[in-house]
Amino acid sequence: MSEHRIELTAERFQAPPALSRIQVGGLVVGAVALGLAWLAGGGEQFYQSYLVAYLFWLSISLGSLGLLIIQHMTQGDWGLVTRRINEASAATLTLLAVLFLPIWTGLESIYKWTKADPHDHLLAAKLWFLNKSDFGLRVICYFAIWLVLTWVLIALSSRQDKNPSPGLINKMRAVAAPGIVVCGIVVTLVSVDLLMSLDPHWYSSMYGVYFIGTILVAGMTFLILVGHWLSRRAPMNEVLGPKIFYAQGKLLLAFVMLWAYFGVSQLVIIWAANLPEEILWYQERTQGGWLQVGLVVVFGHFLLPFLMLLSRSRKHASGRLARVAALLLVVHFLDYYWQAAPTFHHHLTFHWLDLATLVGLGGLWLGVFATLLKRRPLVPVGDAYLPEVFTHE
């Protein structure tokens, strides 16, 4: 029996130079793509495409925050080694708070409740909640809660690098414990404000937990993809091995199953109730070509990944696992598109602005993510549990 101990110092775990190319390239491509989309597109279509792209990148940030909180509560190896990825991804919520401004500017181009018909009694009963001033106030509160929680956890983690005190682990757990409850409530409200209210007549009691399922899948797929990229470069190639990816693969399988369970539960409840204001949402998404998109989401977001992730060898191999994660991330965007776009277009339509806004927001997001990831060591070198993870027998 032999042991290999890795030197845990901040200098040893600096970001690879390739991350700087992602940082600069992302910011340049993002600014150009978003600028062209704004100048050449404009109008209602820009805001509608922007919303779907924004939801996609927001889901990754929120999913990463959720995984960060779960890791602090469980102290699992799967998230300890890759904690800095989740911290950097969650910290991009600062950027997303600024990038919410175009949605606020184009609110009337996106949400029907901003132009409510006074004779629509069903909608009139919801205007105490669905009005512009309260909507804006809630969004400010959402981001304030997320950012305070994120930056407190990051600040404690940074202190741990310089002062590896076991007490800091308890402090982070004390923040994460109420944070997981608060985030669950806030994310549920966000799903109502940003997605459910696109059709203000529709209502689903399962939609909040379904949205939580989607962001957990998004966060885990992004974590696996970045982890795989780092595992092929020094210094993380020494510490990101099959054990970590196997645990992350199992969690990804669990989240995929959870997403499917929430989705089927929502469908069964609405199908059984058979209420006109509820079934209309599904009717719009099974006509005009949207049914095909929905089937792609079912196969690509559950059936195919589920079968692939049953393989033990695939979860151990980071490259094979990353391909599953990439598939899920692509279909994850289609899932949001399938949820939002039928409200704007009754027939299946893809516009060039859908891609332009996705690339524009994504470039800025990845550029800021790379900037944040470079600032600190790639692993929390002061964490008391880390030597146990890095000791290989």
Side-chain angles (χ1 to χ4, degrees):
M1 181 182 294
S2 62
E3 292 186 353
H4 171 60
R5 295 187 181 276
I6 295 174
E7 183 185 2
L8 297 177
T9 62
E11 293 74 19
R12 181 178 178 83
F13 285 97
Q14 294 301 306
L19 198 60
S20 297
R21 293 194 289 271
I22 294 177
Q23 176 189 12
V24 176
L27 292 173
V28 171
V29 171
V32 171
L34 206 56
L36 289 175
W38 170 256
L39 293 174
E44 288 190 349
Q45 182 61 55
F46 171 81
Y47 294 115
Q48 293 165 3
S49 298
Y50 187 95
L51 174 69
V52 179
Y54 183 87
L55 286 167
F56 175 79
W57 294 107
L58 177 66
S59 69
I60 297 176
S61 297
L62 292 179
S64 299
L65 177 57
L67 292 176
L68 180 63
I69 293 172
I70 292 171
Q71 193 280 318
H72 281 305
M73 294 300 297
T74 62
Q75 293 299 319
D77 294 354
W78 61 270
L80 178 56
V81 180
T82 54
R83 182 198 293 171
R84 289 290 149 80
I85 299 174
N86 282 328
E87 288 176 346
S89 180
T92 58
L93 286 165
T94 305
L95 170 70
L96 290 169
V98 177
L99 292 177
F100 187 82
L101 290 175
I103 295 178
W104 177 256
T105 303
L107 213 59
E108 293 186 358
S109 299
I110 301 172
Y111 295 101
K112 298 176 183 177
W113 50 262
T114 57
K115 298 172 284 188
D117 182 354
H119 302 293
D120 189 337
H121 301 294
L122 184 61
L123 179 55
K126 300 181 180 181
L127 291 181
W128 66 271
F129 185 84
L130 296 177
N131 60 81
K132 194 170 182 179
S133 57
D134 288 348
F135 177 89
L137 182 60
R138 286 196 301 273
V139 169
I140 292 172
C141 292
Y142 299 153
F143 276 104
I145 292 169
W146 292 331
L147 291 175
V148 168
L149 183 59
T150 299
W151 287 108
V152 168
L153 289 174
I154 289 176
L156 290 172
S157 183
S158 298
R159 282 176 55 190
Q160 193 180 50
D161 288 345
K162 301 173 183 176
N163 178 28
S165 168
L168 288 173
I169 295 176
N170 294 329
K171 288 183 179 180
M172 287 186 280
R173 188 175 295 174
V175 174
I180 198 169
V181 178
V182 172
C183 276
I185 296 171
V186 171
V187 169
T188 299
L189 292 172
V190 167
S191 71
V192 175
D193 275 327
L194 296 187
L195 268 172
M196 190 189 295
S197 71
L198 287 172
D199 186 347
H201 295 103
W202 184 63
Y203 174 78
S204 169
S205 58
M206 287 294 297
Y207 197 70
V209 291
Y210 176 79
F211 188 76
I212 291 173
T214 66
I215 67 172
L216 289 175
V217 171
M220 184 53 73
T221 54
F222 183 76
L223 180 65
I224 290 171
L225 288 170
V226 177
H228 169 65
W229 185 84
L230 289 173
S231 71
R232 302 178 65 183
R233 294 164 175 81
M236 295 298 284
N237 58 342
E238 297 184 37
V239 298
L240 281 174
K243 174 186 174 183
I244 301 299
F245 287 108
Y246 180 68
Q248 292 179 350
K250 290 193 294 184
L251 267 176
L252 181 60
L253 174 60
F255 291 149
V256 166
M257 295 171 65
L258 193 68
W259 172 88
Y261 173 75
F262 290 151
V264 170
S265 297
Q266 175 177 270
L267 175 61
V268 169
I269 291 171
I270 291 176
W271 186 282
N274 198 30
L275 298 175
E277 64 271 17
E278 293 183 359
I279 63 173
L280 181 63
W281 192 85
Y282 280 103
Q283 287 177 338
E284 289 178 342
R285 285 153 185 81
T286 54
Q287 299 172 2
W290 291 110
L291 176 61
Q292 287 76 6
V293 179
L295 291 175
V296 171
V297 171
V298 171
F299 278 92
H301 211 292
F302 173 65
L303 289 177
L304 189 56
F306 173 76
L307 294 174
M308 296 172 74
L309 290 170
L310 290 176
S311 168
R312 182 183 180 89
S313 60
R314 179 172 280 108
K315 292 195 287 287
H316 272 109
S318 67
R320 297 176 68 190
L321 182 61
R323 285 192 285 273
V324 180
L327 167 67
L328 273 166
L329 206 56
V330 171
V331 182
H332 177 68
F333 173 77
L334 285 179
D335 183 20
Y336 280 137
Y337 193 80
W338 180 77
Q339 292 181 62
T343 306
F344 310 129
H345 312 288
H346 295 301
H347 295 278
L348 177 59
T349 303
F350 288 104
H351 197 278
W352 70 271
L353 283 172
D354 298 326
L355 180 61
T357 52
L358 180 66
V359 172
L361 286 173
L364 295 178
W365 192 96
L366 288 171
V368 172
F369 166 78
T371 303
L372 294 166
L373 189 59
K374 285 174 52 181
R375 286 183 177 177
R376 295 178 299 152
L378 292 174
V379 296
V381 293
D383 195 288
Y385 290 102
L386 201 59
E388 299 178 19
V389 180
F390 287 173
T391 300
H392 306 289
E393 293 189 357

